[in-house]
Amino acid sequence: MASKGEAAVSGAVSRVGRYRWVIVGLLFAATAINYVDRQMIAVLKPDLSKELGWSETDYANIVFYFQAAYAIGYLAFGKIVDAIGARFGYAIAVVIWTIAHVAHGGVHSVMQFTLARFGLGIGESGNFPAGVKTVADWFPAKERAFAVGLFNAGSNVGAILTPLLIWAMVPAVGWRMTFVITGIFGVIWLIAWLAIFRDKPADHPKVGEAELAYITQDPADPVVEVKNLWGKLLVKRETWAFALGKFFIDPIWWFYLFWLPSWLGKEYGLNLTSWDSPTAAIALGAIYLISDVGSVAGGWLSGKLMSTGMSVNKARKLTMLISACFVLPVVFTTFYGNLWISVFFVGVAAAAHQSFSATLYTIPSDTVPRFAVGSVIGIGGTVGAVGGMVFSKYAGYVLDVIGSYAPLFIVAGAAYFLALLSIHLLSPRLERADVA
């Protein structure tokens, strides 16, 4: 027979409002704005290169310093959010990235643009640490993965919206004012966040007793103090299984974000300067719309395989292997010769990336104690950003010297197999490491 406490928890969903999902809506909106601000440089690259005289190497350097800032900020904001809470930690991140985003509208040189992008990278790096912290505080364990998946879907929505916003705004107000006007989104979100969000659900007047009981149904995390946690994690193979996986695959997602628009313009003559046709915006939007499928599919497949009795090790790695195989056709992207065929296969590759990435993010929780998961994710995120920096330099060199995107798509096709191989060699069974 169920206890009274269990009855209260199970009845909470039907009896009370679902205010925690309003919070997820705010996280979703912030993530979408984050990606609009992040991707605008890629979509505007033809305009900016023409007006400011950029070479491919100049553009690669600008992307490089954004990623360097992101690597630094990813670690810093994890500590900031833990210290002062998600309410003000997230607010600080949004203030920094919104100011840096608007500043793009006033720059006139590569150095000035690099400084603006560096500031954007510092601020935007706070989005994921603050979002995950918020979900951990506002949701029971059984709903957290779904809540994270929902707010993370804002990244693809932002990537879809960016070309549409630029297509609508640049011809009317120019690229400089487009940066300024889109900065208003961050200001509006910040006002809503500070007005609506509280770090503790118990402090929020909209959260009733039943919903609070539902949110706090899990046992409290044990207090664990481990001296020199990072030092101990850095010598664990399981940490590097995750980190090297990120090193290989994160640069490919950056490549899609920052170089696909210019490749579509060069390969298929899409006008990304005057934006006199919606074709470019539709093509870019279609790629990220397709990619939305992968984030859901990866998490579903891994769980489905485990529900049939397959081990965690086999389920995770088989899911990543299947995802890697779906990426392979992207190697031949430069040979398809048809816009929509190329859009389809790049979209499938982007979806497979999301599937692989969603599965990869579960590995820390599979292989290290819960109190160390955040630290491992922070290390992996930083290593992934370093991989992106290396790839950016490589992309600038290839495009300036060879002038072809083919080598970049070949790397994109191979990266996931290298990631899976490194994961398997470092953690053959995905066993839990002892870091005490």
Side-chain angles (χ1 to χ4, degrees):
M1 181 179 293
S3 67
K4 292 182 179 180
E6 290 172 334
V9 168
S10 62
V13 176
S14 59
R15 293 203 310 268
V16 304
R18 303 168 182 264
Y19 201 76
R20 63 195 181 282
W21 299 107
V22 174
I23 304 304
V24 168
L26 286 172
L27 301 180
F28 176 93
T31 304
I33 294 168
N34 183 288
Y35 267 73
V36 168
D37 293 356
R38 181 180 309 192
Q39 203 198 7
M40 277 183 60
I41 186 178
V43 183
L44 287 169
K45 183 188 172 191
D47 264 343
L48 300 173
S49 297
K50 182 179 179 181
E51 182 173 330
L52 303 178
W54 291 352
S55 66
E56 291 289 353
T57 299
D58 289 334
Y59 178 71
N61 286 336
I62 291 170
V63 173
F64 175 92
Y65 284 107
F66 170 84
Q67 293 166 326
Y70 198 87
I72 296 168
Y74 207 101
L75 295 177
F77 267 105
K79 294 182 178 297
I80 291 171
V81 170
D82 283 342
I84 67 174
R87 186 171 186 241
F88 290 111
Y90 218 148
I92 291 169
V94 174
V95 167
I96 293 172
W97 99 51
T98 300
I99 291 173
H101 174 74
V102 172
H104 285 60
V107 300
H108 293 86
S109 68
V110 171
M111 178 57 70
Q112 290 173 349
F113 224 104
T114 299
L115 290 173
R117 293 301 289 183
F118 191 88
L120 186 72
I122 291 291
E124 290 205 336
S125 66
N127 185 75
F128 192 74
V132 172
K133 170 72 171 175
T134 297
V135 168
D137 290 339
W138 274 77
F139 285 83
K142 65 183 179 182
E143 287 185 343
R144 287 174 192 164
F146 183 54
V148 170
L150 283 179
F151 92 70
N152 190 50
S155 62
N156 288 328
V157 171
I160 292 168
L161 287 175
T162 304
L164 296 173
L165 286 170
I166 291 176
W167 169 67
M169 296 175 67
V170 170
V173 299
W175 66 264
R176 293 185 183 277
M177 280 303 299
T178 299
F179 275 108
V180 175
I181 294 172
T182 52
I184 295 172
F185 300 151
V187 175
I188 294 172
W189 183 90
L190 181 63
I191 294 170
W193 176 254
L194 293 175
I196 294 173
F197 182 74
R198 298 294 181 271
D199 284 313
K200 296 180 180 180
D203 295 337
H204 205 294
K206 296 285 187 179
V207 178
E209 291 184 7
E211 185 173 14
L212 182 61
Y214 183 78
I215 291 171
T216 58
Q217 64 184 271
D218 301 311
D221 287 349
V223 177
V224 178
E225 293 185 10
V226 179
K227 294 182 179 180
N228 191 27
L229 176 60
W230 270 44
K232 293 180 178 179
L233 289 174
L234 287 173
V235 298
K236 295 295 181 180
R237 294 160 64 94
E238 291 76 14
T239 300
W240 288 102
F242 175 71
L244 285 182
K246 295 284 285 179
F247 178 85
F248 284 115
I249 74 165
D250 280 10
I252 310 308
W253 186 248
W254 294 111
F255 167 59
Y256 294 151
L257 285 178
F258 292 132
W259 271 276
L260 275 184
S262 58
W263 174 74
L264 287 170
K266 178 180 178 181
E267 185 74 13
Y268 295 107
L270 300 184
N271 194 331
L272 278 74
T273 302
S274 66
W275 293 90
D276 55 4
S277 167
T279 304
I282 293 171
L284 285 170
I287 288 171
Y288 293 106
L289 186 62
I290 296 170
S291 75
D292 264 333
V293 177
S295 185
V296 177
W300 173 84
L301 179 58
S302 178
K304 182 67 175 178
L305 293 173
M306 289 168 61
S307 71
T308 65
M310 186 176 289
S311 69
V312 171
N313 182 52
K314 289 183 179 179
R316 302 294 194 219
K317 290 175 181 175
L318 181 57
T319 299
M320 288 189 282
L321 177 61
I322 293 170
S323 301
C325 290
F326 271 98
V327 174
L328 271 180
V330 84
V331 169
F332 307 103
T333 300
T334 56
F335 302 103
Y336 291 130
N338 179 279
L339 171 62
W340 299 110
I341 292 176
S342 294
V343 164
F344 174 76
F345 281 114
V346 173
V348 169
H353 168 90
Q354 293 285 50
S355 173
F356 194 107
S357 180
T359 308
L360 179 60
Y361 263 115
T362 66
I363 286 180
S365 61
D366 294 333
T367 57
V368 299
R370 184 159 57 176
F371 66 82
V373 168
S375 296
V376 172
I377 290 176
I379 293 168
T382 298
V383 173
V386 171
M389 293 160 64
V390 173
F391 190 89
S392 294
K393 288 288 190 179
Y394 171 70
Y397 172 80
V398 166
L399 295 176
D400 267 340
V401 175
I402 301 176
S404 170
Y405 285 81
L408 306 181
F409 282 112
I410 290 171
V411 173
Y416 300 86
F417 292 98
L418 293 173
L420 181 55
L421 178 63
S422 66
I423 292 166
H424 183 67
L425 290 176
L426 287 165
S427 189
R429 298 180 180 83
L430 292 184
E431 294 174 328
R432 189 169 294 275
D434 180 11
V435 296

